[in-house]
Amino acid sequence: MTNNIEAPREPNDLFANKGQSIRFETQASAESEEKVLPLGEFSEFVVTEQPKMLAEIRAGNLGVEALIQRQKELLGKLNPKDIEMAVKDPSRAGIAMLDLAFAFNAAILAKNPPSGSKPPDEVEQLSAFFSKTTGLPMTMTFEKIVGINS
């Protein structure tokens, strides 16, 4: 008996409707999408610079303290208007919480095994503020990763 099932070649091949009502964005269209950075430079750091710093930490070329100091520095420059705008918009507030959760976890889990480092107080305080505002927990959750990030 032969197997006549072909492996999917693109995302739409996974669905019976084959793109009749569902369309996935291509990488080119996703790149043209506007970035939402509710916490300004801090959000930009979490998306672009922090992953590079984590790679350097894991490679042994950088200490966890440098990451924590950079987080603290950027949170110190945070524009209060950015926080105000994020609080008023549930979508932006959720993304801000996701950024803070990534920052929080990066400081703790930068190394394997964990370094025992503590995230800056500013990360915890702002995360607690947004947690009260949104009703979302401060910790990383499935909802944050899947629901808010998508």
Side-chain angles (χ1 to χ4, degrees):
M1 181 182 237
T2 61
N3 181 354
N4 293 330
I5 300 172
E6 283 190 46
R9 303 214 186 279
E10 60 181 78
N12 287 325
D13 289 345
L14 296 171
F15 299 92
N17 293 348
K18 293 213 177 192
Q20 292 171 6
S21 61
I22 299 172
R23 281 306 311 159
F24 287 93
E25 294 181 17
T26 63
Q27 187 172 357
S29 64
E31 289 172 359
S32 65
E33 217 175 88
E34 181 184 339
K35 285 184 184 179
V36 178
L37 304 169
L39 300 176
E41 279 186 71
F42 181 77
S43 291
E44 181 70 34
F45 164 78
V46 169
V47 172
T48 60
E49 189 178 338
Q50 183 170 275
K52 294 173 189 169
M53 289 183 83
L54 287 170
E56 289 297 312
I57 291 167
R58 291 179 182 135
N61 301 328
L62 190 66
V64 178
E65 301 76 29
L67 172 77
I68 293 168
Q69 184 57 40
R70 183 73 174 132
Q71 290 177 350
K72 194 181 256 191
E73 173 189 317
L74 290 169
L75 285 171
K77 292 191 225 174
L78 197 57
N79 184 342
K81 286 186 178 185
D82 287 336
I83 296 172
E84 198 176 304
M85 284 177 50
V87 168
K88 290 178 182 178
D89 178 351
S91 174
R92 292 177 75 80
I95 295 169
M97 290 232 28
L98 184 62
D99 290 344
L100 290 161
F102 275 118
F104 186 89
N105 287 325
I108 294 172
L109 304 171
K111 289 186 169 185
N112 193 5
S115 64
S117 298
K118 184 181 178 311
D121 290 338
E122 295 85 348
V123 169
E124 291 187 69
Q125 291 166 0
L126 194 54
S127 190
F129 171 75
F130 275 105
S131 181
K132 285 179 187 172
T133 305
T134 62
L136 294 170
M138 290 174 49
T139 58
M140 185 64 76
T141 63
F142 181 80
E143 179 183 1
K144 285 180 185 172
I145 295 171
V146 176
I148 295 170
N149 198 33
S150 58

